[in-house]
Amino acid sequence: YTYHSVIQQLDFELEFTNYPLWYARYTTIKPSQKQGPWTEWVAWQYADKGTVEGVSNDVDMNWVKG
């Protein structure tokens, strides 16, 4: 799990791609597949102020491939 700005600022080495990427970028535009050294992401957190029936606080909103 990491943020778009962290991927842009750090030079992730290829061994990080042994782990799936859960990508946080708060936008309504679906991100491209490639982020840093990863050729694709498996989950995208697109918001942190979502709503879910029965939950009174803001919740993270994620889109998971599968």
Side-chain angles (χ1 to χ4, degrees):
Y1 176 86
T2 192
Y3 292 88
H4 175 77
S5 60
V6 173
I7 291 174
Q8 301 302 311
Q9 292 173 11
L10 298 179
D11 185 21
F12 285 96
E13 297 192 18
L14 283 178
E15 55 252 12
F16 279 93
T17 63
N18 292 322
Y19 305 96
L21 176 61
W22 181 357
Y23 180 65
R25 185 169 192 188
Y26 302 155
T27 179
T28 57
I29 301 169
K30 187 176 175 182
S32 65
Q33 296 294 342
K34 179 156 178 38
Q35 298 298 324
W38 289 272
T39 57
E40 65 179 0
W41 46 266
V42 297
W44 165 38
Q45 184 176 335
Y46 59 88
D48 65 347
K49 298 194 183 320
T51 57
V52 175
E53 187 176 333
V55 178
S56 59
N57 298 345
D58 293 336
V59 296
D60 293 343
M61 303 301 289
N62 296 278
W63 189 84
V64 178
K65 291 182 180 179

